[in-house]
């Protein structure tokens, strides 16, 4: 039932507002999830720039501003107490003290050849739940828990990742100025870790040094934005699995991983330390 709002519902120039019917809100949720799934399909087909469009949907679904007309769809549906599938928690078996560097298991690093050199790439961890029972986290904790730390000690929860890609980087706006921490992350890839590729067989004796000729540098040029895009895709993945009644059809539409991907276990992570030489 639609009801005319009172003084609180009066906007600029005396305009009156009416409450949106709950039935309409439920239809809008289905439509948002359908659009979200379509954008994810574009991303999965190689159009990674669709991450900006993907970010718009979680912003509308979850980004809330009490005291204004900008209330999240989840709030309006009374579903803020929902528990969300949490692939970070699932990857870490629910242990909050474990993390998969540097992004809590939401994405994994790969290497790809670019202009004759190895470069860092990132893939969303869409198959994290294949062999595990998915674990869940209450929405507010899921939305606000840090999933990425930068070298400048900035913290990025899902909320910040979604808002900044949507609000500053073409999702909803092309901002003339970019918030510094987000700029350093996406343009300079300052997410704490450097990487090296160890060529040849795996190290059988960890106490022995790795021969220098087996270590190949891996470029991080452009890796920060690729990381953020992969994280947004993974956040959409968790959202669709949690809220969509058609999650089984969504899962069946995800293409199999590229067999040529070189995943995280073949890459050595090196924590950057000031004035420190190469580490093994």
């Amino acid at each position: 039932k639609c009801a005319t709002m009172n003084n609180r519902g009066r906007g600029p120039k005396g305009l009156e507002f009416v409450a949106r019917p709950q039935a309409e809100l439920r239809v809008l949720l289905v439509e948002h999830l359908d659009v979200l799934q379509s954008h994810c399909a574009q991303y999965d087909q190689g159009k990674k720039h669709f991450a900006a469009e993907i970010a718009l949907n979680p912003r509308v679904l979850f980004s809330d501003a009490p005291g204004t007309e900008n209330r999240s769809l989840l709030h309006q549906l009374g579903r803020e107490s929902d528990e969300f599938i949490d692939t970070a928690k699932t990857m870490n078996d629910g242990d909050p003290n474990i993390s998969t560097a540097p992004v809590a298991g939401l994405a994994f690093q790969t290497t790809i050849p670019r202009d004759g050199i190895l470069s860092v790439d990132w893939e969303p961890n869409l198959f994290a739940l294949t062999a595990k029972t998915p674990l869940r986290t209450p929405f507010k904790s899921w939305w606000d828990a840090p999933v990425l730390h930068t070298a400048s000690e900035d913290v990025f929860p899902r909320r910040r990742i979604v808002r900044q890609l949507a609000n500053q980087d073409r999702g909803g706006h092309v901002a003339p100025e970019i918030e510094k921490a987000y700029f350093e992350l996406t343009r300079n890839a300052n997410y704490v870790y450097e990487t090296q590729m160890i060529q040849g067989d795996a190290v059988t004796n960890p106490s022995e040094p790795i021969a220098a000729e087996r270590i190949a540098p891996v470029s991080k040029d452009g890796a920060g934005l690729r990381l953020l895009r992969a994280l947004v895709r993974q956040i959409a993945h968790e959202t669709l699995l949690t809220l969509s009644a058609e999650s089984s059809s969504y899962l069946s539409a995800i293409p199999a991983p590229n067999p040529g991907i070189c995943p995280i276990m073949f890459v050595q992570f090196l924590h950057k330390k000031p004035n420190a030489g190469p580490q093994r």
Side-chain angles (χ1 to χ4, degrees), residues 108-165:
F108 64 91
Q109 182 171 287
T110 72
T111 58
I112 53 176
R114 290 178 184 269
D115 301 323
I117 62 173
L118 285 175
S119 295
V120 170
D121 199 7
W122 286 91
E123 294 288 338
N125 204 355
L126 300 178
F127 297 92
L129 305 180
T130 302
K132 297 186 177 218
T133 301
L135 301 179
R136 292 176 178 262
T137 298
F139 165 70
K140 288 188 180 297
S141 296
W142 175 85
W143 189 230
D144 291 328
V147 294
L148 172 62
H149 296 78
T150 73
S152 51
E153 300 185 352
D154 289 292
V155 175
F156 283 79
R158 291 174 177 87
R159 165 181 47 80
R160 188 177 184 186
I161 291 167
V162 164
R163 284 179 177 174
Q164 293 200 279
L165 190 58

Side-chain angles (χ1 to χ4, degrees), residues 109 120 188-196 218-220 267-273:
Q109 182 171 287
V120 170
N188 295 325
N190 72 330
Y191 51 76
V192 181
Y193 288 85
E194 299 288 357
T195 59
Q196 295 175 336
V218 182
S219 170
K220 286 175 68 175
V267 176
Q268 179 186 33
F269 281 99
L270 302 178
H271 191 284
K272 291 194 298 184
K273 294 182 179 180

Side-chain angles (χ1 to χ4, degrees), residues 66-258:
T68 75
E69 63 181 12
N70 298 319
R71 302 310 305 268
S72 71
L73 187 53
L74 201 70
H75 168 80
Q76 293 182 65
L77 286 166
R79 297 187 58 176
E80 288 183 303
S81 61
D82 282 16
E83 292 191 334
F84 274 61
I85 285 179
D86 188 338
T87 50
K89 179 182 281 189
T90 302
M91 282 288 293
N92 300 326
D93 292 325
D95 187 337
N97 298 313
I98 298 176
S99 65
T100 303
V103 287
L106 292 178
F108 64 91
Q109 182 171 287
T110 72
T111 58
I112 53 176
R114 290 178 184 269
D115 301 323
I117 62 173
L118 285 175
S119 295
V120 170
D121 199 7
W122 286 91
E123 294 288 338
N125 204 355
L126 300 178
F127 297 92
L129 305 180
T130 302
K132 297 186 177 218
T133 301
L135 301 179
R136 292 176 178 262
T137 298
F139 165 70
K140 288 188 180 297
S141 296
W142 175 85
W143 189 230
D144 291 328
V147 294
L148 172 62
H149 296 78
T150 73
S152 51
E153 300 185 352
D154 289 292
V155 175
F156 283 79
R158 291 174 177 87
R159 165 181 47 80
R160 188 177 184 186
I161 291 167
V162 164
R163 284 179 177 174
Q164 293 200 279
L165 190 58
N167 293 344
Q168 296 193 10
D169 243 349
R170 196 185 59 74
H173 303 280
V174 177
E177 295 182 333
I178 303 173
E179 196 270 323
K180 183 178 179 181
Y182 178 79
F183 181 91
E184 291 296 326
L185 173 60
T186 55
R187 275 62 177 180
N188 295 325
N190 72 330
Y191 51 76
V192 181
Y193 288 85
E194 299 288 357
T195 59
Q196 295 175 336
M197 179 68 69
I198 303 174
Q199 301 172 332
D201 296 332
V203 178
T204 56
N205 187 348
S207 64
E208 293 185 3
I210 300 168
E213 60 270 18
R214 292 182 56 200
I215 301 175
V218 182
S219 170
K220 286 175 68 175
D221 186 35
L225 184 57
R226 292 193 287 272
L227 169 58
L228 260 288
R229 288 174 169 177
L231 290 175
V232 165
R233 174 64 182 92
Q234 187 69 12
I235 292 167
H237 180 66
E238 296 171 320
T239 298
L240 287 164
L241 292 182
T242 300
L243 297 178
S244 177
E246 304 296 329
S247 59
S248 59
S249 63
Y250 157 68
L251 283 172
S252 65
I254 299 175
N258 183 344

